[in-house]
Amino acid sequence: MKALFIGGTGTISSAITQQLAESGCELYLLNRGTRNDNLPAGVKVITADIHDEQKVADLIKDHEFDVVADFIAFVPEHVERDYRLFKGKTKQYIFISSASAYQKPLSDYRITEGTPLSNPYWEYSRNKIACEDYLMKQYRDNGFPITIVRPSHTYSERSIPLGVHGNNGSWQVAKRMLENKPVIIHGDGTTLWTLTHNRDFAKGFIGLMGNIHAIGESVHITSDESVTWNQIYEIIADALGVKLNAVHVPSEFLDACSIYDFRGGLIGDKANTVVFDNSKLKRLVPDFVATTRVDQGIKQTVQFILKHPELQKEDPEFDAWCDRVIEVLDEALKKIKE
């Protein structure tokens, strides 16, 4: 199989790149070359900015691919460009959408690919829906061989999966735990959530590549395991070897007082209970099974980050914001009790 990944070094795509390289796939990555230091042997790089359409067209003019997958397309203009570049040059074009595009609020917590797409809270999700709409039109009208993949919360060894964090990622929350400082959990922490390790996501994704039954289809790829946010934070604390000091804060309050995008990331996504039905994926990829249990995967991630100081990026602004939110809630409670 000859495949081209636009991107190929991010959280979701890096595990796919690794597994394909090990399988002997002829894999090309098209990116700007800023994160290619640890690519597996045999992976070929086409160095370009995908937004420079003419340069990319010149670089791929002598290539045809079995699969093209774009991991960094976020708005309709991106997939419109891809259609111009790859129409007639690939047997399958895979668009990475998002499970956050599913209807919010949900009418049923059990999500299938037939769940309506509608997210009034998050522009990111609405843009992904618009991309899907454009690609499905090209499939229906012009036979463009598309497959739409919807990841949910996918994580790797480089970042601890959380509900509430700042712009510098997850380390500051782990640092607060290590310092026995209170940690904010959105809502009451009892909503169900699904975490998927990128190793497991890669198995499902590779099973869809070159799969004739996946053409014209939309498929989400997630674990079958559901846990509460309270359990997720307890697992993180346990992996760090500390006791969790949790403070539960309503998601609406976090959104209202936040300098961060909690309206989209929480109200439009993580504050909702979601349980995924992966029956469609398993019909298309009969041997798919997610084998990384949440507690095992998070423990591996925490151990990896503790051994790699370069991943421990502090966020004093977020730390101070957490302290202020908790202080305000404590003050309100005292006033009510007076």
Side-chain angles (χ1 to χ4, degrees):
M1 179 185 296
K2 181 179 180 181
L4 172 69
F5 286 177
I6 302 168
T9 59
T11 297
I12 289 177
S13 56
S14 58
I16 307 170
T17 296
Q18 180 67 45
Q19 291 182 28
L20 282 176
E22 293 171 357
S23 72
C25 173
E26 184 182 358
L27 178 61
Y28 293 77
L29 303 187
L30 194 160
N31 58 42
R32 292 176 295 179
T34 58
R35 299 173 60 184
N36 291 340
D37 293 343
N38 298 313
L39 288 181
V43 175
K44 304 173 184 179
V45 177
I46 300 174
T47 304
D49 185 336
I50 186 61
H51 302 298
D52 188 345
E53 185 174 342
Q54 187 55 58
K55 180 178 180 180
V56 172
D58 292 339
L59 290 171
I60 65 170
K61 64 181 179 180
D62 296 326
H63 289 279
E64 291 190 359
F65 301 96
D66 296 302
V67 179
V68 171
D70 194 338
F71 292 90
I72 53 173
F74 300 104
V75 296
E77 290 80 5
H78 294 168
V79 292
E80 291 167 5
R81 173 206 63 217
D82 286 357
Y83 176 70
R84 293 190 296 269
L85 284 169
F86 299 111
K87 181 183 179 183
K89 295 187 74 67
T90 184
K91 298 175 184 176
Q92 183 185 32
Y93 172 88
I94 303 179
F95 170 62
I96 289 72
S97 184
S98 170
S100 69
Y102 288 120
Q103 177 177 292
K104 302 294 185 308
L106 289 161
S107 57
D108 189 326
Y109 72 95
R110 294 163 297 190
I111 295 178
T112 72
E113 285 79 2
T115 299
L117 303 182
S118 175
N119 191 330
Y121 303 102
W122 206 358
E123 185 180 12
Y124 166 81
S125 305
R126 294 194 298 273
N127 281 329
K128 288 289 191 179
I129 293 169
C131 290
E132 290 196 26
D133 289 343
Y134 174 80
L135 291 170
M136 287 303 297
K137 178 175 173 54
Q138 299 311 316
Y139 169 69
R140 291 192 300 265
D141 295 351
N142 299 307
F144 190 49
I146 63 114
T147 298
I148 294 168
V149 170
R150 298 177 185 138
S152 186
H153 195 160
T154 307
Y155 70 104
S156 71
E157 73 281 359
R158 300 179 66 84
S159 181
I160 302 167
L162 293 167
V164 178
H165 61 78
N167 293 329
N168 285 351
S170 60
W171 171 250
Q172 192 64 45
V173 177
K175 188 170 185 288
R176 289 181 68 88
M177 290 185 183
L178 290 168
E179 295 172 349
N180 196 34
K181 296 180 73 173
V183 172
I184 293 173
I185 300 178
H186 61 277
D188 64 1
T190 62
T191 53
L192 292 171
W193 192 244
T194 300
L195 295 173
T196 307
H197 200 284
N198 68 347
R199 291 189 301 258
D200 290 328
F201 182 90
K203 291 185 288 186
F205 189 92
I206 291 169
L208 295 174
M209 292 177 63
N211 187 331
I212 59 171
H213 302 293
I215 303 299
E217 297 289 348
S218 301
V219 190
H220 52 240
I221 303 175
T222 77
S223 169
D224 291 320
E225 183 182 12
S226 297
V227 291
T228 68
W229 283 104
N230 285 333
Q231 289 174 316
I232 291 170
Y233 279 77
E234 287 283 1
I235 291 168
I236 296 168
D238 184 64
L240 289 166
V242 298
K243 182 176 177 59
L244 178 64
N245 182 4
V247 175
H248 293 92
V249 183
S251 298
E252 292 80 4
F253 183 85
L254 291 171
D255 171 40
C257 69
S258 179
I259 57 176
Y260 306 101
D261 181 19
F262 290 146
R263 180 170 176 79
L266 287 183
I267 310 300
D269 197 29
K270 296 181 179 68
N272 300 270
T273 279
V274 293
V275 177
F276 292 91
D277 181 340
N278 286 297
S279 299
K280 184 173 184 179
L281 173 63
K282 292 174 182 178
R283 288 196 302 270
L284 294 170
V285 187
D287 60 350
F288 172 77
V289 60
T291 56
T292 304
R293 207 172 65 205
V294 169
D295 57 329
Q296 297 169 335
I298 289 178
K299 183 177 181 180
Q300 293 166 7
T301 294
V302 169
Q303 290 174 344
F304 186 88
I305 291 175
L306 290 175
K307 293 176 181 177
H308 291 79
E310 71 275 11
L311 299 177
Q312 299 170 20
K313 192 172 183 180
E314 297 192 14
D315 193 339
E317 182 181 46
F318 175 74
D319 197 50
W321 178 82
C322 289
D323 289 340
R324 179 58 178 154
V325 169
I326 294 166
E327 178 187 353
V328 167
L329 289 174
D330 286 343
E331 290 173 355
L333 184 60
K334 290 176 184 177
K335 288 182 178 181
I336 291 172
K337 289 183 175 180
E338 288 177 356

Short mmCIF file of all heavy atoms in Angstrom, two decimals, residues 239-278:
data_model
loop_
_atom_site.label_atom_id
_atom_site.label_comp_id
_atom_site.label_asym_id
_atom_site.label_seq_id
_atom_site.Cartn_x
_atom_site.Cartn_y
_atom_site.Cartn_z
N ALA A 239 -1.51 7.13 40.00
CA ALA A 239 -0.30 6.93 39.21
C ALA A 239 0.83 7.84 39.69
O ALA A 239 2.01 7.49 39.59
CB ALA A 239 -0.58 7.18 37.73
N LEU A 240 0.47 9.00 40.23
CA LEU A 240 1.46 9.93 40.77
C LEU A 240 1.85 9.57 42.20
O LEU A 240 2.79 10.15 42.75
CB LEU A 240 0.91 11.36 40.74
CG LEU A 240 0.77 12.00 39.35
CD1 LEU A 240 -0.08 13.26 39.44
CD2 LEU A 240 2.15 12.32 38.77
N GLY A 241 1.11 8.66 42.81
CA GLY A 241 1.40 8.25 44.17
C GLY A 241 0.94 9.24 45.22
O GLY A 241 1.54 9.34 46.29
N VAL A 242 -0.15 9.97 44.93
CA VAL A 242 -0.66 10.98 45.87
C VAL A 242 -2.16 10.78 46.07
O VAL A 242 -2.82 10.05 45.32
CB VAL A 242 -0.40 12.41 45.36
CG1 VAL A 242 1.10 12.66 45.22
CG2 VAL A 242 -1.11 12.67 44.03
N LYS A 243 -2.70 11.46 47.07
CA LYS A 243 -4.14 11.44 47.32
C LYS A 243 -4.79 12.60 46.58
O LYS A 243 -4.31 13.73 46.63
CB LYS A 243 -4.43 11.54 48.82
CG LYS A 243 -5.91 11.47 49.18
CD LYS A 243 -6.09 11.48 50.68
CE LYS A 243 -7.58 11.50 51.06
NZ LYS A 243 -8.30 10.33 50.51
N LEU A 244 -5.90 12.33 45.90
CA LEU A 244 -6.59 13.36 45.13
C LEU A 244 -7.32 14.33 46.06
O LEU A 244 -8.07 13.92 46.94
CB LEU A 244 -7.59 12.72 44.16
CG LEU A 244 -8.42 13.69 43.32
CD1 LEU A 244 -7.54 14.50 42.38
CD2 LEU A 244 -9.49 12.93 42.54
N ASN A 245 -7.10 15.61 45.83
CA ASN A 245 -7.82 16.68 46.55
C ASN A 245 -8.69 17.38 45.51
O ASN A 245 -8.25 18.33 44.86
CB ASN A 245 -6.82 17.63 47.19
CG ASN A 245 -7.49 18.74 47.98
OD1 ASN A 245 -8.72 18.78 48.12
ND2 ASN A 245 -6.70 19.68 48.48
N ALA A 246 -9.90 16.91 45.32
CA ALA A 246 -10.76 17.37 44.22
C ALA A 246 -11.72 18.45 44.67
O ALA A 246 -12.25 18.40 45.79
CB ALA A 246 -11.55 16.20 43.64
N VAL A 247 -11.95 19.41 43.79
CA VAL A 247 -12.98 20.42 43.97
C VAL A 247 -13.88 20.38 42.75
O VAL A 247 -13.41 20.59 41.62
CB VAL A 247 -12.38 21.83 44.14
CG1 VAL A 247 -13.48 22.88 44.19
CG2 VAL A 247 -11.51 21.89 45.37
N HIS A 248 -15.16 20.10 42.96
CA HIS A 248 -16.09 20.01 41.84
C HIS A 248 -16.72 21.38 41.58
O HIS A 248 -17.23 22.03 42.49
CB HIS A 248 -17.17 18.97 42.13
CG HIS A 248 -16.64 17.58 42.20
ND1 HIS A 248 -16.23 16.99 43.38
CD2 HIS A 248 -16.44 16.66 41.22
CE1 HIS A 248 -15.79 15.77 43.12
NE2 HIS A 248 -15.91 15.54 41.82
N VAL A 249 -16.65 21.80 40.32
CA VAL A 249 -17.14 23.12 39.93
C VAL A 249 -18.08 22.96 38.75
O VAL A 249 -17.73 22.28 37.78
CB VAL A 249 -15.97 24.05 39.55
CG1 VAL A 249 -16.50 25.45 39.21
CG2 VAL A 249 -14.94 24.12 40.67
N PRO A 250 -19.29 23.55 38.80
CA PRO A 250 -20.22 23.43 37.67
C PRO A 250 -19.57 23.87 36.35
O PRO A 250 -18.86 24.89 36.31
CB PRO A 250 -21.37 24.35 38.06
CG PRO A 250 -21.33 24.41 39.55
CD PRO A 250 -19.87 24.33 39.91
N SER A 251 -19.81 23.13 35.29
CA SER A 251 -19.22 23.46 34.00
C SER A 251 -19.65 24.84 33.52
O SER A 251 -18.87 25.58 32.92
CB SER A 251 -19.62 22.40 32.96
OG SER A 251 -19.13 21.13 33.34
N GLU A 252 -20.92 25.19 33.79
CA GLU A 252 -21.43 26.50 33.38
C GLU A 252 -20.68 27.63 34.10
O GLU A 252 -20.42 28.68 33.51
CB GLU A 252 -22.92 26.61 33.65
CG GLU A 252 -23.79 25.72 32.79
CD GLU A 252 -23.84 24.28 33.28
OE1 GLU A 252 -23.23 23.99 34.35
OE2 GLU A 252 -24.45 23.44 32.59
N PHE A 253 -20.33 27.40 35.36
CA PHE A 253 -19.56 28.39 36.11
C PHE A 253 -18.16 28.54 35.53
O PHE A 253 -17.65 29.66 35.35
CB PHE A 253 -19.49 27.99 37.59
CG PHE A 253 -18.78 28.99 38.46
CD1 PHE A 253 -19.46 30.07 38.98
CD2 PHE A 253 -17.42 28.83 38.75
CE1 PHE A 253 -18.81 31.00 39.79
CE2 PHE A 253 -16.77 29.75 39.55
CZ PHE A 253 -17.46 30.84 40.07
N LEU A 254 -17.53 27.41 35.21
CA LEU A 254 -16.20 27.45 34.61
C LEU A 254 -16.22 28.20 33.28
O LEU A 254 -15.32 28.99 32.98
CB LEU A 254 -15.67 26.03 34.40
CG LEU A 254 -15.32 25.24 35.67
CD1 LEU A 254 -15.03 23.80 35.34
CD2 LEU A 254 -14.13 25.88 36.39
N ASP A 255 -17.25 27.95 32.51
CA ASP A 255 -17.39 28.65 31.23
C ASP A 255 -17.55 30.15 31.45
O ASP A 255 -16.91 30.97 30.77
CB ASP A 255 -18.59 28.08 30.47
CG ASP A 255 -18.95 28.89 29.23
OD1 ASP A 255 -18.02 29.34 28.53
OD2 ASP A 255 -20.15 29.07 28.97
N ALA A 256 -18.39 30.52 32.40
CA ALA A 256 -18.71 31.93 32.62
C ALA A 256 -17.53 32.74 33.14
O ALA A 256 -17.38 33.92 32.82
CB ALA A 256 -19.89 32.05 33.59
N CYS A 257 -16.67 32.11 33.94
CA CYS A 257 -15.58 32.87 34.57
C CYS A 257 -14.22 32.57 33.94
O CYS A 257 -13.19 32.98 34.48
CB CYS A 257 -15.53 32.56 36.07
SG CYS A 257 -14.99 30.89 36.47
N SER A 258 -14.21 31.90 32.82
CA SER A 258 -12.95 31.39 32.30
C SER A 258 -12.33 32.27 31.23
O SER A 258 -13.03 32.91 30.44
CB SER A 258 -13.16 29.98 31.72
OG SER A 258 -11.93 29.49 31.19
N ILE A 259 -11.00 32.28 31.22
CA ILE A 259 -10.25 32.89 30.13
C ILE A 259 -9.91 31.83 29.08
O ILE A 259 -9.26 32.12 28.09
CB ILE A 259 -8.95 33.52 30.66
CG1 ILE A 259 -8.09 32.48 31.39
CG2 ILE A 259 -9.27 34.70 31.57
CD1 ILE A 259 -6.74 33.01 31.86
N TYR A 260 -10.39 30.60 29.30
CA TYR A 260 -10.12 29.49 28.39
C TYR A 260 -11.40 29.09 27.66
O TYR A 260 -12.50 29.51 28.02
CB TYR A 260 -9.57 28.29 29.18
CG TYR A 260 -8.36 28.64 30.01
CD1 TYR A 260 -8.48 28.86 31.39
CD2 TYR A 260 -7.11 28.79 29.42
CE1 TYR A 260 -7.37 29.20 32.15
CE2 TYR A 260 -6.01 29.13 30.18
CZ TYR A 260 -6.14 29.34 31.55
OH TYR A 260 -5.06 29.68 32.29
N ASP A 261 -11.26 28.27 26.62
CA ASP A 261 -12.41 27.87 25.81
C ASP A 261 -13.14 26.70 26.45
O ASP A 261 -13.06 25.57 25.99
CB ASP A 261 -11.98 27.50 24.38
CG ASP A 261 -13.16 27.11 23.50
OD1 ASP A 261 -14.31 27.47 23.86
OD2 ASP A 261 -12.94 26.45 22.47
N PHE A 262 -13.82 26.97 27.55
CA PHE A 262 -14.57 25.91 28.21
C PHE A 262 -15.99 25.80 27.67
O PHE A 262 -16.67 24.81 27.92
CB PHE A 262 -14.58 26.10 29.72
CG PHE A 262 -13.25 25.86 30.37
CD1 PHE A 262 -12.86 26.59 31.48
CD2 PHE A 262 -12.39 24.89 29.87
CE1 PHE A 262 -11.63 26.36 32.09
CE2 PHE A 262 -11.16 24.66 30.47
CZ PHE A 262 -10.78 25.39 31.57
N ARG A 263 -16.46 26.81 26.96
CA ARG A 263 -17.78 26.68 26.35
C ARG A 263 -17.77 25.57 25.30
O ARG A 263 -18.65 24.72 25.26
CB ARG A 263 -18.23 27.99 25.71
CG ARG A 263 -19.60 27.90 25.06
CD ARG A 263 -20.13 29.25 24.66
NE ARG A 263 -21.40 29.14 23.95
CZ ARG A 263 -22.57 28.94 24.53
NH1 ARG A 263 -22.64 28.82 25.83
NH2 ARG A 263 -23.68 28.85 23.82
N GLY A 264 -16.75 25.58 24.46
CA GLY A 264 -16.65 24.52 23.47
C GLY A 264 -16.17 23.21 24.07
O GLY A 264 -16.81 22.17 23.94
N GLY A 265 -15.03 23.26 24.77
CA GLY A 265 -14.40 22.05 25.26
C GLY A 265 -15.17 21.33 26.35
O GLY A 265 -15.07 20.09 26.46
N LEU A 266 -15.95 22.07 27.16
CA LEU A 266 -16.74 21.44 28.21
C LEU A 266 -18.22 21.34 27.82
O LEU A 266 -18.75 20.25 27.66
CB LEU A 266 -16.60 22.20 29.53
CG LEU A 266 -15.27 22.06 30.28
CD1 LEU A 266 -15.33 22.81 31.59
CD2 LEU A 266 -14.95 20.59 30.53
N ILE A 267 -18.89 22.49 27.72
CA ILE A 267 -20.33 22.49 27.44
C ILE A 267 -20.61 21.76 26.13
O ILE A 267 -21.60 21.01 26.01
CB ILE A 267 -20.89 23.92 27.38
CG1 ILE A 267 -20.46 24.73 28.62
CG2 ILE A 267 -22.41 23.89 27.26
CD1 ILE A 267 -20.92 24.15 29.92
N GLY A 268 -19.75 21.97 25.15
CA GLY A 268 -19.96 21.33 23.85
C GLY A 268 -19.32 19.98 23.70
O GLY A 268 -19.37 19.38 22.63
N ASP A 269 -18.72 19.46 24.79
CA ASP A 269 -18.03 18.18 24.65
C ASP A 269 -17.93 17.43 25.98
O ASP A 269 -18.79 16.62 26.30
CB ASP A 269 -16.63 18.41 24.06
CG ASP A 269 -15.98 17.15 23.50
OD1 ASP A 269 -16.72 16.24 23.06
OD2 ASP A 269 -14.74 17.06 23.48
N LYS A 270 -16.94 17.73 26.80
CA LYS A 270 -16.59 16.86 27.92
C LYS A 270 -17.57 16.86 29.08
O LYS A 270 -17.52 15.98 29.93
CB LYS A 270 -15.19 17.21 28.42
CG LYS A 270 -14.09 16.97 27.38
CD LYS A 270 -12.73 17.32 27.93
CE LYS A 270 -11.63 17.06 26.92
NZ LYS A 270 -11.71 18.01 25.77
N ALA A 271 -18.46 17.85 29.15
CA ALA A 271 -19.44 17.86 30.24
C ALA A 271 -20.57 16.88 30.00
O ALA A 271 -21.37 16.61 30.90
CB ALA A 271 -20.01 19.28 30.40
N ASN A 272 -20.64 16.32 28.80
CA ASN A 272 -21.71 15.40 28.43
C ASN A 272 -21.31 13.95 28.66
O ASN A 272 -20.16 13.57 28.40
CB ASN A 272 -22.08 15.58 26.95
CG ASN A 272 -22.54 16.99 26.64
OD1 ASN A 272 -23.72 17.30 26.70
ND2 ASN A 272 -21.60 17.86 26.28
N THR A 273 -22.24 13.14 29.11
CA THR A 273 -22.01 11.70 29.15
C THR A 273 -22.06 11.14 27.74
O THR A 273 -23.02 11.37 27.00
CB THR A 273 -23.06 10.99 30.02
OG1 THR A 273 -22.70 11.12 31.40
CG2 THR A 273 -23.14 9.50 29.71
N VAL A 274 -21.00 10.43 27.36
CA VAL A 274 -20.97 9.80 26.04
C VAL A 274 -20.48 8.37 26.15
O VAL A 274 -19.51 8.08 26.83
CB VAL A 274 -20.07 10.58 25.04
CG1 VAL A 274 -20.66 11.94 24.72
CG2 VAL A 274 -18.66 10.74 25.56
N VAL A 275 -21.19 7.48 25.50
CA VAL A 275 -20.82 6.07 25.40
C VAL A 275 -20.94 5.70 23.93
O VAL A 275 -22.00 5.86 23.33
CB VAL A 275 -21.73 5.18 26.26
CG1 VAL A 275 -21.37 3.71 26.07
CG2 VAL A 275 -21.64 5.57 27.73
N PHE A 276 -19.86 5.21 23.34
CA PHE A 276 -19.84 4.96 21.92
C PHE A 276 -20.18 3.51 21.58
O PHE A 276 -19.68 2.58 22.19
CB PHE A 276 -18.46 5.30 21.33
CG PHE A 276 -18.15 6.76 21.35
CD1 PHE A 276 -17.49 7.34 22.43
CD2 PHE A 276 -18.55 7.59 20.31
CE1 PHE A 276 -17.21 8.69 22.46
CE2 PHE A 276 -18.27 8.95 20.33
CZ PHE A 276 -17.61 9.50 21.40
N ASP A 277 -21.03 3.36 20.58
CA ASP A 277 -21.33 2.05 20.00
C ASP A 277 -20.39 1.87 18.81
O ASP A 277 -20.52 2.55 17.80
CB ASP A 277 -22.79 2.03 19.55
CG ASP A 277 -23.21 0.69 18.96
OD1 ASP A 277 -22.32 -0.09 18.54
OD2 ASP A 277 -24.42 0.42 18.89
N ASN A 278 -19.45 0.95 18.93
CA ASN A 278 -18.45 0.72 17.89
C ASN A 278 -18.80 -0.44 16.96
O ASN A 278 -17.92 -1.00 16.30
CB ASN A 278 -17.08 0.48 18.53
CG ASN A 278 -16.47 1.74 19.08
OD1 ASN A 278 -16.18 2.68 18.35
ND2 ASN A 278 -16.28 1.79 20.40
#
